[in-house]
Short mmCIF file of all heavy atoms in Angstrom, two decimals:
data_model
loop_
_atom_site.label_atom_id
_atom_site.label_comp_id
_atom_site.label_asym_id
_atom_site.label_seq_id
_atom_site.Cartn_x
_atom_site.Cartn_y
_atom_site.Cartn_z
N THR Z 1098 -3.32 -21.21 -1.98
CA THR Z 1098 -3.17 -20.43 -3.21
C THR Z 1098 -4.24 -19.26 -3.22
O THR Z 1098 -3.93 -18.12 -3.53
CB THR Z 1098 -3.30 -21.33 -4.51
OG1 THR Z 1098 -2.24 -22.20 -4.41
CG2 THR Z 1098 -3.31 -20.50 -5.72
N THR Z 1099 -5.46 -19.66 -2.94
CA THR Z 1099 -6.48 -18.66 -2.83
C THR Z 1099 -6.15 -17.54 -1.76
O THR Z 1099 -6.37 -16.36 -1.99
CB THR Z 1099 -7.87 -19.35 -2.52
OG1 THR Z 1099 -8.16 -20.25 -3.54
CG2 THR Z 1099 -8.98 -18.24 -2.35
N PHE Z 1100 -5.78 -17.99 -0.56
CA PHE Z 1100 -5.37 -17.08 0.41
C PHE Z 1100 -4.23 -16.17 0.06
O PHE Z 1100 -4.26 -14.96 0.23
CB PHE Z 1100 -5.06 -17.87 1.77
CG PHE Z 1100 -4.48 -16.93 2.83
CD1 PHE Z 1100 -5.33 -16.09 3.51
CD2 PHE Z 1100 -3.09 -16.96 3.13
CE1 PHE Z 1100 -4.80 -15.21 4.54
CE2 PHE Z 1100 -2.60 -16.09 4.07
CZ PHE Z 1100 -3.46 -15.23 4.74
N ARG Z 1101 -3.20 -16.79 -0.48
CA ARG Z 1101 -2.04 -16.00 -0.95
C ARG Z 1101 -2.42 -14.91 -1.97
O ARG Z 1101 -2.01 -13.79 -1.84
CB ARG Z 1101 -1.01 -16.94 -1.62
CG ARG Z 1101 0.30 -16.27 -1.94
CD ARG Z 1101 1.27 -17.27 -2.65
NE ARG Z 1101 1.67 -18.36 -1.76
CZ ARG Z 1101 1.46 -19.67 -2.01
NH1 ARG Z 1101 0.89 -20.03 -3.15
NH2 ARG Z 1101 1.86 -20.58 -1.10
N ASP Z 1102 -3.24 -15.25 -2.92
CA ASP Z 1102 -3.74 -14.37 -3.96
C ASP Z 1102 -4.56 -13.20 -3.23
O ASP Z 1102 -4.32 -12.03 -3.53
CB ASP Z 1102 -4.69 -14.94 -5.04
CG ASP Z 1102 -3.84 -15.92 -5.89
OD1 ASP Z 1102 -2.57 -15.83 -5.88
OD2 ASP Z 1102 -4.52 -16.73 -6.53
N TRP Z 1103 -5.41 -13.59 -2.30
CA TRP Z 1103 -6.19 -12.57 -1.60
C TRP Z 1103 -5.24 -11.66 -0.76
O TRP Z 1103 -5.36 -10.44 -0.82
CB TRP Z 1103 -7.19 -13.26 -0.64
CG TRP Z 1103 -7.77 -12.24 0.32
CD1 TRP Z 1103 -8.87 -11.33 -0.01
CD2 TRP Z 1103 -7.33 -11.86 1.58
NE1 TRP Z 1103 -9.14 -10.58 1.12
CE2 TRP Z 1103 -8.20 -10.86 2.05
CE3 TRP Z 1103 -6.39 -12.24 2.42
CZ2 TRP Z 1103 -8.05 -10.25 3.29
CZ3 TRP Z 1103 -6.15 -11.76 3.66
CH2 TRP Z 1103 -7.08 -10.72 4.18
N PHE Z 1104 -4.28 -12.26 -0.05
CA PHE Z 1104 -3.41 -11.48 0.78
C PHE Z 1104 -2.49 -10.54 -0.09
O PHE Z 1104 -2.24 -9.43 0.36
CB PHE Z 1104 -2.54 -12.29 1.69
CG PHE Z 1104 -1.76 -11.51 2.71
CD1 PHE Z 1104 -2.41 -11.11 3.80
CD2 PHE Z 1104 -0.41 -11.16 2.47
CE1 PHE Z 1104 -1.79 -10.29 4.71
CE2 PHE Z 1104 0.22 -10.45 3.44
CZ PHE Z 1104 -0.39 -9.91 4.49
N MET Z 1105 -2.01 -10.95 -1.19
CA MET Z 1105 -1.21 -10.10 -2.01
C MET Z 1105 -2.06 -8.85 -2.44
O MET Z 1105 -1.53 -7.74 -2.38
CB MET Z 1105 -0.75 -10.81 -3.27
CG MET Z 1105 0.40 -11.78 -2.86
SD MET Z 1105 1.16 -12.84 -4.23
CE MET Z 1105 0.72 -12.09 -5.70
N ASP Z 1106 -3.30 -9.01 -2.76
CA ASP Z 1106 -4.10 -7.91 -3.18
C ASP Z 1106 -4.36 -7.10 -1.94
O ASP Z 1106 -4.33 -5.80 -2.04
CB ASP Z 1106 -5.48 -8.47 -3.69
CG ASP Z 1106 -5.38 -9.00 -5.08
OD1 ASP Z 1106 -4.41 -8.82 -5.77
OD2 ASP Z 1106 -6.29 -9.74 -5.45
N PHE Z 1107 -4.78 -7.64 -0.80
CA PHE Z 1107 -4.95 -6.93 0.43
C PHE Z 1107 -3.68 -6.08 0.81
O PHE Z 1107 -3.82 -4.83 1.12
CB PHE Z 1107 -5.20 -7.91 1.53
CG PHE Z 1107 -5.36 -7.27 2.95
CD1 PHE Z 1107 -6.57 -6.65 3.32
CD2 PHE Z 1107 -4.24 -7.32 3.79
CE1 PHE Z 1107 -6.63 -6.06 4.59
CE2 PHE Z 1107 -4.37 -6.76 5.05
CZ PHE Z 1107 -5.52 -6.12 5.43
N ASP Z 1108 -2.52 -6.70 0.75
CA ASP Z 1108 -1.30 -5.99 1.13
C ASP Z 1108 -1.02 -4.88 0.20
O ASP Z 1108 -0.61 -3.77 0.58
CB ASP Z 1108 -0.17 -7.01 1.14
CG ASP Z 1108 1.07 -6.47 1.87
OD1 ASP Z 1108 0.97 -5.80 2.87
OD2 ASP Z 1108 2.21 -6.78 1.31
N ALA Z 1109 -1.17 -5.11 -1.12
CA ALA Z 1109 -0.92 -4.02 -2.13
C ALA Z 1109 -1.90 -2.86 -1.89
O ALA Z 1109 -1.45 -1.67 -2.04
CB ALA Z 1109 -1.17 -4.62 -3.52
N ASP Z 1110 -3.19 -3.16 -1.60
CA ASP Z 1110 -4.09 -2.06 -1.34
C ASP Z 1110 -3.72 -1.28 -0.09
O ASP Z 1110 -3.76 -0.01 -0.09
CB ASP Z 1110 -5.49 -2.59 -1.18
CG ASP Z 1110 -6.12 -3.14 -2.37
OD1 ASP Z 1110 -5.62 -2.79 -3.48
OD2 ASP Z 1110 -7.14 -3.88 -2.40
N ALA Z 1111 -3.24 -1.88 0.94
CA ALA Z 1111 -2.79 -1.27 2.15
C ALA Z 1111 -1.55 -0.39 1.91
O ALA Z 1111 -1.41 0.72 2.42
CB ALA Z 1111 -2.44 -2.29 3.26
N TRP Z 1112 -0.59 -0.94 1.08
CA TRP Z 1112 0.57 -0.17 0.69
C TRP Z 1112 0.20 1.07 -0.13
O TRP Z 1112 0.66 2.15 0.07
CB TRP Z 1112 1.52 -1.05 -0.15
CG TRP Z 1112 2.88 -0.42 -0.33
CD1 TRP Z 1112 3.91 -0.56 0.44
CD2 TRP Z 1112 3.26 0.49 -1.40
NE1 TRP Z 1112 5.02 0.13 -0.03
CE2 TRP Z 1112 4.58 0.83 -1.12
CE3 TRP Z 1112 2.64 0.99 -2.41
CZ2 TRP Z 1112 5.39 1.66 -1.93
CZ3 TRP Z 1112 3.36 1.92 -3.29
CH2 TRP Z 1112 4.67 2.13 -3.01
N ASP Z 1113 -0.73 0.89 -1.10
CA ASP Z 1113 -1.22 2.03 -1.91
C ASP Z 1113 -1.84 3.11 -0.98
O ASP Z 1113 -1.66 4.31 -1.16
CB ASP Z 1113 -2.23 1.63 -2.89
CG ASP Z 1113 -1.62 0.78 -4.02
OD1 ASP Z 1113 -0.36 0.86 -4.19
OD2 ASP Z 1113 -2.40 0.19 -4.78
N LYS Z 1114 -2.62 2.72 0.01
CA LYS Z 1114 -3.35 3.65 0.85
C LYS Z 1114 -2.23 4.40 1.68
O LYS Z 1114 -2.32 5.63 1.81
CB LYS Z 1114 -4.23 2.90 1.79
CG LYS Z 1114 -4.96 3.79 2.75
CD LYS Z 1114 -5.91 3.02 3.68
CE LYS Z 1114 -6.57 4.06 4.62
NZ LYS Z 1114 -7.24 3.38 5.71
N GLN Z 1115 -1.24 3.71 2.19
CA GLN Z 1115 -0.17 4.36 2.98
C GLN Z 1115 0.59 5.29 2.09
O GLN Z 1115 0.90 6.45 2.53
CB GLN Z 1115 0.76 3.39 3.56
CG GLN Z 1115 1.90 3.90 4.44
CD GLN Z 1115 1.35 4.67 5.58
OE1 GLN Z 1115 0.68 4.10 6.46
NE2 GLN Z 1115 1.67 5.96 5.78
N PHE Z 1116 0.88 4.90 0.88
CA PHE Z 1116 1.58 5.78 -0.07
C PHE Z 1116 0.77 7.06 -0.28
O PHE Z 1116 1.37 8.19 -0.30
CB PHE Z 1116 1.93 5.06 -1.42
CG PHE Z 1116 2.76 5.76 -2.30
CD1 PHE Z 1116 4.17 5.84 -2.22
CD2 PHE Z 1116 2.18 6.50 -3.43
CE1 PHE Z 1116 4.83 6.60 -3.08
CE2 PHE Z 1116 2.94 7.25 -4.28
CZ PHE Z 1116 4.31 7.22 -4.14
N GLU Z 1117 -0.44 6.92 -0.58
CA GLU Z 1117 -1.32 8.13 -0.85
C GLU Z 1117 -1.29 9.02 0.37
O GLU Z 1117 -1.27 10.31 0.21
CB GLU Z 1117 -2.72 7.73 -1.24
CG GLU Z 1117 -2.75 7.07 -2.60
CD GLU Z 1117 -4.22 6.63 -3.02
OE1 GLU Z 1117 -5.19 7.19 -2.42
OE2 GLU Z 1117 -4.33 5.77 -3.85
N GLU Z 1118 -1.43 8.45 1.60
CA GLU Z 1118 -1.38 9.33 2.72
C GLU Z 1118 -0.06 10.01 2.88
O GLU Z 1118 -0.06 11.15 3.29
CB GLU Z 1118 -1.66 8.43 3.98
CG GLU Z 1118 -3.10 7.90 4.06
CD GLU Z 1118 -3.26 6.85 5.23
OE1 GLU Z 1118 -2.32 6.58 5.91
OE2 GLU Z 1118 -4.34 6.33 5.35
N ASP Z 1119 1.05 9.37 2.58
CA ASP Z 1119 2.32 10.00 2.67
C ASP Z 1119 2.47 11.10 1.66
O ASP Z 1119 2.96 12.20 1.98
CB ASP Z 1119 3.46 8.92 2.46
CG ASP Z 1119 3.62 8.00 3.64
OD1 ASP Z 1119 3.05 8.28 4.74
OD2 ASP Z 1119 4.26 6.95 3.47
N VAL Z 1120 1.96 10.91 0.43
CA VAL Z 1120 1.97 11.91 -0.59
C VAL Z 1120 1.12 13.11 -0.15
O VAL Z 1120 1.62 14.31 -0.22
CB VAL Z 1120 1.51 11.38 -1.97
CG1 VAL Z 1120 1.24 12.51 -2.96
CG2 VAL Z 1120 2.51 10.40 -2.55
N ASN Z 1121 -0.12 12.89 0.34
CA ASN Z 1121 -0.97 13.92 0.68
C ASN Z 1121 -0.43 14.74 1.86
O ASN Z 1121 -0.69 15.94 1.99
CB ASN Z 1121 -2.39 13.39 0.92
CG ASN Z 1121 -3.00 12.91 -0.26
OD1 ASN Z 1121 -2.79 13.36 -1.35
ND2 ASN Z 1121 -3.98 11.97 -0.11
N ALA Z 1122 0.31 14.08 2.72
CA ALA Z 1122 0.92 14.70 3.91
C ALA Z 1122 2.21 15.43 3.60
O ALA Z 1122 2.74 16.11 4.46
CB ALA Z 1122 1.09 13.76 5.03
N GLY Z 1123 2.69 15.30 2.36
CA GLY Z 1123 3.92 16.01 1.91
C GLY Z 1123 5.16 15.24 2.39
O GLY Z 1123 6.29 15.84 2.29
N ARG Z 1124 5.07 14.06 2.92
CA ARG Z 1124 6.24 13.36 3.41
C ARG Z 1124 7.20 12.87 2.31
O ARG Z 1124 8.39 12.53 2.58
CB ARG Z 1124 5.83 12.10 4.21
CG ARG Z 1124 5.19 12.51 5.58
CD ARG Z 1124 5.01 11.26 6.45
NE ARG Z 1124 3.83 10.56 6.15
CZ ARG Z 1124 2.54 10.84 6.71
NH1 ARG Z 1124 2.51 11.83 7.52
NH2 ARG Z 1124 1.55 10.11 6.45
N LEU Z 1125 6.73 12.99 1.05
CA LEU Z 1125 7.62 12.59 -0.10
C LEU Z 1125 8.09 13.80 -0.96
O LEU Z 1125 8.80 13.61 -1.89
CB LEU Z 1125 6.92 11.52 -0.92
CG LEU Z 1125 6.45 10.29 -0.24
CD1 LEU Z 1125 5.66 9.38 -1.11
CD2 LEU Z 1125 7.66 9.56 0.35
N ASP Z 1126 7.72 14.95 -0.48
CA ASP Z 1126 8.01 16.13 -1.33
C ASP Z 1126 9.56 16.36 -1.46
O ASP Z 1126 10.03 16.70 -2.58
CB ASP Z 1126 7.42 17.40 -0.61
CG ASP Z 1126 5.96 17.49 -0.72
OD1 ASP Z 1126 5.38 16.62 -1.39
OD2 ASP Z 1126 5.29 18.39 -0.11
N VAL Z 1127 10.27 16.13 -0.48
CA VAL Z 1127 11.76 16.27 -0.51
C VAL Z 1127 12.33 15.34 -1.62
O VAL Z 1127 13.15 15.70 -2.44
CB VAL Z 1127 12.46 16.05 0.80
CG1 VAL Z 1127 13.99 15.97 0.70
CG2 VAL Z 1127 12.04 17.13 1.81
N LEU Z 1128 11.86 14.03 -1.63
CA LEU Z 1128 12.35 13.06 -2.63
C LEU Z 1128 11.92 13.57 -4.01
O LEU Z 1128 12.68 13.42 -4.98
CB LEU Z 1128 11.82 11.67 -2.25
CG LEU Z 1128 12.32 11.16 -0.95
CD1 LEU Z 1128 11.69 9.81 -0.65
CD2 LEU Z 1128 13.83 11.00 -1.01
N ALA Z 1129 10.69 14.00 -4.16
CA ALA Z 1129 10.18 14.37 -5.50
C ALA Z 1129 11.02 15.57 -5.99
O ALA Z 1129 11.35 15.57 -7.16
CB ALA Z 1129 8.77 14.68 -5.37
#
């Protein structure tokens, strides 16, 4: 349970970082 909670936070942070990189690189501009 402790590991699962930690991993969910870790994975969410990694996804957020990738999303921010995609936004900053303009990869989502067409969709927006």
Side-chain angles (χ1 to χ4, degrees):
T1098 298
T1099 300
F1100 173 74
R1101 186 183 296 121
D1102 292 343
W1103 171 83
F1104 188 79
M1105 286 178 18
D1106 290 340
F1107 173 82
D1108 194 42
D1110 289 343
W1112 191 91
D1113 288 346
K1114 181 180 178 194
Q1115 181 64 56
F1116 184 81
E1117 287 180 25
E1118 290 172 2
D1119 289 345
V1120 168
N1121 291 334
R1124 289 189 277 273
L1125 303 175
D1126 290 353
V1127 171
L1128 297 173

